[in-house]
Amino acid sequence: MYISNNPNNELEQSIVQVPDLVQIPDEIHEMAQKFQEAMMMYTCAIREVKTKLEVLNDELSVKNRRNPIEVIKSRVKKPKSIVEKLKRRGLPLTLESIVKNLDDVAGIRVICSFLDDIYEVADMLTRQDDVKLIAVKDYIKKPKENGYRSYHLIIEIPVFFSDKKQPMRVEVQIRTIAMDFWASLDHQLKYKKEFIDSEDVERQLKECADVIAGTDVQMLNIRKNIESRGIEIRK
Ligand code: GTP
Ligand code: MG
């Protein structure tokens, strides 16, 4: 197979001096195509799980007049991160190895309003008879040492393609808005840790995580108190 360089990109041509046509060996082309196909399958798996979550949210918003889910985000793991993770774990860099060893190529993040919504959404999703629960990590009941809180599920769902029914794994992270706020900033700050007193930063971040966890409990209690007085909570 041949790919053509962009003739308009004069700067690139003058610096790199690549020939006009680069020949790609057939086996590399075949491998790239298989990889692309696998990533397409993960994208489809994300779409299936996302639809399940959206259906649940719509149903609950009619029944309870309140949406338990604020936002659903998703991503397919970048090839660079896939390779880094396989290397870190000393695993072979093959497509078979990706499918067999990595459970988080397809990732969905569900941001809920309140703490109890997390468990309700997780229960409703895993009770569905085409959803196979592979693993659960409850970082809310047992937070990570640094204060990270979230409810992680690895599920397997069947995805129907033209010629096969393929079981696909998806990582679902469920957390409150507050937990998401902390995790997002924690993730950003981690890149700068080498430039600052990291022990102090770790301690302060942990403190923030604990304050936020307290606020989540308080918010839930406020909602329950309002509900117990028969007042409807609407969006
Ligand atoms: P990974 O190799 O990162 O996938 O970790 P793991 O396979 O041990 O799984 P785990 O359930 O611990 O974490 C999976 C994902 O949760 C990560 O990729 C992050 O998205 C998120 N996560 C876990 N720990 C932290 C943390 O301390 N801070 C933040 N911001 N996110 C975290
Ligand atoms: Mg991960």
Side-chain angles (χ1 to χ4, degrees):
M1 193 246 184
Y2 292 88
I3 53 165
S4 174
N5 288 318
N6 178 1
N8 299 324
N9 193 344
E10 285 169 17
L11 181 67
E12 191 185 324
Q13 290 222 338
S14 63
I15 297 173
V16 186
Q17 295 279 311
V18 285
D20 265 358
L21 291 172
V22 178
Q23 191 169 6
I24 297 180
D26 281 350
E27 57 272 27
I28 302 275
H29 177 231
E30 206 177 299
M31 226 163 69
Q33 209 165 2
K34 275 191 181 158
F35 182 81
Q36 202 179 5
E37 195 185 319
M39 294 306 116
M40 174 277 295
M41 287 161 78
Y42 282 115
T43 304
C44 294
I46 286 178
R47 204 179 299 151
E48 294 258 346
V49 178
K50 236 175 155 176
T51 302
K52 283 178 179 294
L53 290 161
E54 281 162 3
V55 167
L56 290 173
N57 202 35
D58 285 352
E59 186 197 346
L60 288 174
S61 77
V62 172
K63 274 191 183 159
N64 303 347
R65 303 211 171 260
R66 191 176 71 75
N67 293 85
I69 297 174
E70 288 274 339
V71 190
I72 303 172
K73 304 176 196 173
S74 63
R75 65 102 181 91
V76 173
K77 208 175 183 75
K78 291 196 187 88
K80 189 170 171 272
S81 309
I82 292 177
V83 170
E84 278 169 7
K85 192 162 184 174
L86 288 174
K87 277 188 179 165
R88 207 166 51 237
R89 297 191 174 177
L91 295 163
L93 302 180
T94 61
L95 191 55
E96 291 69 31
S97 170
I98 295 171
V99 175
K100 185 171 157 232
N101 299 306
L102 303 190
D103 291 336
D104 65 343
V105 177
I108 296 190
R109 195 166 283 158
V110 187
I111 319 294
C112 292
S113 311
F114 293 94
L115 263 177
D116 58 349
D117 293 329
I118 295 175
Y119 292 97
E120 194 174 3
V121 167
D123 269 1
M124 288 185 305
L125 180 66
T126 52
R127 268 203 313 263
Q128 300 192 0
D129 62 12
D130 56 345
V131 175
K132 185 171 161 194
L133 182 61
I134 305 293
V136 180
K137 282 188 200 167
D138 189 345
Y139 291 128
I140 298 171
K141 292 220 167 75
K142 209 170 173 297
K144 279 194 165 180
E145 237 172 73
N146 63 354
Y148 176 79
R149 286 166 174 84
S150 264
Y151 193 80
H152 292 190
L153 300 168
I154 305 291
I155 58 171
E156 196 173 81
I157 50 137
V159 184
F160 292 83
F161 296 101
S162 61
D163 58 344
K164 62 185 171 206
K165 179 172 98 174
Q166 182 68 38
M168 302 290 301
R169 289 193 175 187
V170 178
E171 181 189 67
V172 185
Q173 299 180 351
I174 317 178
R175 49 171 79 147
T176 59
I177 305 163
M179 291 171 193
D180 190 52
F181 151 73
W182 184 92
S184 301
L185 299 193
D186 171 69
H187 186 70
Q188 280 184 38
L189 293 168
K190 267 187 177 160
Y191 291 110
K192 293 177 183 166
K193 260 186 189 159
E194 55 196 276
F195 304 113
I196 40 185
D197 176 6
S198 72
E199 223 173 81
D200 194 40
V201 169
E202 297 260 5
R203 186 185 50 76
Q204 290 185 56
L205 278 169
K206 166 86 167 56
E207 255 175 49
C208 288
D210 294 345
V211 169
I212 282 168
T215 309
D216 258 337
V217 173
Q218 229 175 329
M219 285 296 201
L220 177 61
N221 288 338
I222 294 170
R223 196 201 80 211
K224 284 186 172 166
N225 188 292
I226 293 172
E227 283 171 347
S228 72
R229 287 187 272 153
I231 301 165
E232 205 174 81
I233 298 173
R234 273 174 190 267
K235 271 228 173 137

